[in-house]
Amino acid sequence: MKKFILGVVTGLFLMGCFAWISNFMGTSLFKDKEIVLPNNQNNQPENKLKDLTQIIEKQKDELKKQKESLDQTKKNLNSYAKVVSTVVQGEDFPFEIISDTSEETIVFSPNYIREVPENTDLQKLYLLRLINQLAAVKGSKITFWSNKDDALLYSTGEIKTNGTEGWVGQNSKFGTMFKDGDSIYLWHHLGVHEKDSVTLGIYQIKE
């Protein structure tokens, strides 16, 4: 019986010693050690706030750019409307008939300003308005010029090639109207070899 009691006491003592040693070793291993959580757990709220802030700032920049673009579009539309009103409803454009024969009528108009606007639709409006102002002329062909010297030289027929595209004075010709029987054709010139057909109302496309 004494041996049994001694064995139990010895076992309890050894278990106590083992528990104390385990606790001591565990404390020693983690003493002065900083516990670092993973990034997605340690500062997750801060990262989310930073991401949201960046998204908001980006959206603000996009909104600012869209507003600037809209403001510019409004300015362009106002400018366009002003030019259209001037062309359609303004005073008659000045012009001078340089030559008027059955073959061709040559017209000079100083108010055709190529750079104001560069929009060809508005330039065509100018041409149409100018044609509407012309009284009856003899020519089955009418050419319109923005430079008087070029128009005068053209009327003499004494023009010489002085450029890779031909006679550079031809660049100041901005319109040609041609009558062929009951058909009328109108072209708006962009340069010596560039022209657009105007197909509004009575004007047709020449095949």
Side-chain angles (χ1 to χ4, degrees), residues 75-87:
K75 290 180 181 178
N76 293 340
L77 287 175
N78 289 336
S79 177
Y80 188 96
K82 184 178 180 180
V83 174
V84 171
S85 178
T86 300
V87 171

Side-chain angles (χ1 to χ4, degrees), residues 14-197:
L14 291 174
M15 289 177 63
C17 289
F18 179 77
W20 179 83
I21 292 171
S22 298
N23 182 62
F24 175 77
M25 290 180 66
T27 303
S28 299
L29 287 173
F30 289 102
K31 186 178 181 180
D32 298 328
K33 296 290 183 179
E34 181 181 357
I35 299 176
V36 180
L37 295 175
N39 287 335
N40 61 347
Q41 296 181 13
N42 188 41
N43 57 353
Q44 190 176 24
E46 288 79 1
N47 285 340
K48 284 187 176 180
L49 180 60
K50 184 178 179 180
D51 292 342
L52 287 173
T53 302
Q54 290 176 346
I55 293 173
I56 292 172
E57 292 300 324
K58 185 177 180 180
Q59 290 179 343
K60 284 182 178 179
D61 291 340
E62 290 295 327
L63 184 62
K64 182 180 178 181
K65 291 179 181 178
Q66 291 178 5
K67 184 179 182 303
E68 291 174 351
S69 177
L70 180 61
D71 290 342
Q72 185 61 46
T73 300
K74 288 180 179 179
K75 290 180 181 178
N76 293 340
L77 287 175
N78 289 336
S79 177
Y80 188 96
K82 184 178 180 180
V83 174
V84 171
S85 178
T86 300
V87 171
V88 176
Q89 300 177 352
E91 298 179 358
D92 287 350
F93 301 136
F95 67 90
E96 179 181 346
I97 296 178
I98 302 298
S99 174
D100 186 22
T101 66
S102 59
E103 182 179 348
E104 183 174 357
T105 300
I106 302 171
V107 179
F108 161 63
S109 180
N111 276 22
Y112 178 83
I113 305 174
R114 184 176 296 275
E115 65 270 16
V116 178
E118 295 181 355
N119 184 297
T120 56
D121 290 335
L122 297 180
Q123 292 173 349
K124 290 174 183 177
L125 280 178
Y126 183 100
L127 178 59
L128 288 167
R129 170 70 185 277
L130 185 61
I131 292 173
N132 191 55
Q133 292 177 201
L134 288 177
V137 293
K138 299 176 184 178
S140 57
K141 177 182 179 182
I142 306 174
T143 54
F144 300 88
W145 302 76
S146 61
N147 183 288
K148 187 173 183 178
D149 291 336
D150 290 340
L152 287 168
L153 183 58
Y154 176 78
S155 68
T156 67
E158 298 177 1
I159 52 178
K160 298 179 180 180
T161 299
N162 55 3
T164 57
E165 294 185 338
W167 178 48
V168 294
Q170 196 87 356
N171 284 311
S172 62
K173 182 174 68 173
F174 63 89
T176 299
M177 189 175 77
F178 178 69
K179 299 177 183 178
D180 184 11
D182 295 332
S183 300
I184 303 177
Y185 308 99
L186 179 62
W187 293 279
H188 172 245
H189 294 270
L190 304 173
V192 177
H193 300 299
E194 293 182 86
K195 62 183 180 180
D196 286 337
S197 294

